[in-house]
Amino acid sequence: MGLLMYTAAMNDTSSPVEKADRRVADALPDHWADRVLPRALRPYARLMRLERPIGWWLLFIPCLWGLCLGQIALGGGLPSLWFAALFLVGAIIMRGAGCTLNDIADRNFDGLVERTRLRPIPSGQVSVPLAFAFLVLLSLLGLVVLLQFNWFTVFTGAASLVVVAIYPFMKRITHWPQAVLGLAFNWGALVGWTAVHGSLSAAPLLLYAGGIAWTLAYDTIYAHQDKEDDALIGLKSTALKFGSATIWWLALFFFLALALVDAAIWLAGGSLIVHVGVAGAALHAAWQLARFDHANSARCLELFRSNRIFGLIITLGLLLDSLIT
C-alpha cells in the first residue's frame, strides 16, 4: 500500500487550482473555512489546519488544566475567563504557526505521503516565501496575545519557541518525535499555572509531565496512519518503533499520564471531585485501548480525535473542584 501511495503522489499532475478544490486528508468535511473564506485565503487556512480543529483543542486543553489547577491551589473560585479566552485565541494562532513551520520544513516529504500530499506547500497553493511571511504574521499575533499576561508568563511562553522550532526536524533523526511534540503541546500547562501564580512549582511540572505522556499516547495512535509511507521515505516515529507492540506502550503512556496528572492535583490541594474526573478519563483511555487497531488507519484517526474528550473530562473535574470546594 505504501508503494502505491508513493507512486500516486509522484504521478499526480493535477494543477494547483485543481488540488485547491480537493479536501485535504483527515480534514473535517464541509468546514466553514472552505465555505466562507475567499478562495485566495483558503490555502492559508489549511496551513493553519483550521479545518482540523483537534490540533488546537489538544494545545488549548493543557492551558485549561494549568489555569484551573492554579486556581484550585489559590483556594478555588471561577478561573479567569479572560485568561481562558486568551489561551483559546493563542492556541489557534500558535497551532497555526507551528503547522506552517512544520509544512515548510517537511515540504520535500509531504508530497510523497498520501495523507499530506495535498497540503498547500507541496501542492503548489502557497509558495515557501509566502508561507514564511504568513509564519511571521502568526508569530507576531501570538506575541500580542502573550503580552497580555504577567512577565513571568511571557518569558515562560516565549521559551516554548525553542521546542517548537526543533520539532519538525526530529522525525528525521529519532523514533521519538512524539516526545518532542509532547514538550511543545503541553507547555500551556506551565503557562496556565504561571498566569495565575507568576511562578512555577512541583504541581505544574508534574501536570506538564503528565501531558507529555498523554501526547505520546495520542500521537503514537495518529502516527500509525503514516507508518508505511514514513518507512518508505526514511522518516521515523514511535508507531514504526513499537509496531504491533504499540498497545502495551499506549497502556503505559496513558497510565503515566493519569498518574502524573493525579499527583499534580494532589500537590495542588485538589478534592475528591477532580480525582473522580481523572478516573473518568481513565475509563476513556481504557475504551481507546479496547478499540485500538494499529492496522486500521480510520480507527486510529477516530481514536486520536477522541482525545479531546479525554482532556475535557479532566478539565471538567478541575473546573468543578475549583467552583464547588
Side-chain angles (χ1 to χ4, degrees), residues 6-57:
Y6 178 86
T7 303
M10 291 297 291
N11 293 334
D12 189 349
T13 58
S14 303
S15 70
V17 172
E18 291 172 324
K19 291 176 180 177
D21 287 333
R22 301 184 200 166
R23 186 168 65 89
V24 178
D26 72 24
L28 293 180
D30 195 33
H31 191 263
W32 67 265
D34 285 328
R35 288 185 285 103
V36 175
L37 291 178
R39 191 170 189 171
L41 296 182
R42 291 174 195 170
Y44 297 94
R46 292 172 187 148
L47 268 181
M48 292 183 69
R49 311 286 199 271
L50 287 183
E51 80 286 7
R52 276 175 284 177
I54 182 59
W56 61 256
W57 271 109

Side-chain angles (χ1 to χ4, degrees), residues 34 38 61 102 142 174 196 202 207 245 299 319:
D34 285 328
I61 286 170
N102 187 76
T174 177
V196 177
L207 187 68
R299 178 73 57 78
L319 181 60

Side-chain angles (χ1 to χ4, degrees), residues 62 252 268:
L252 174 62

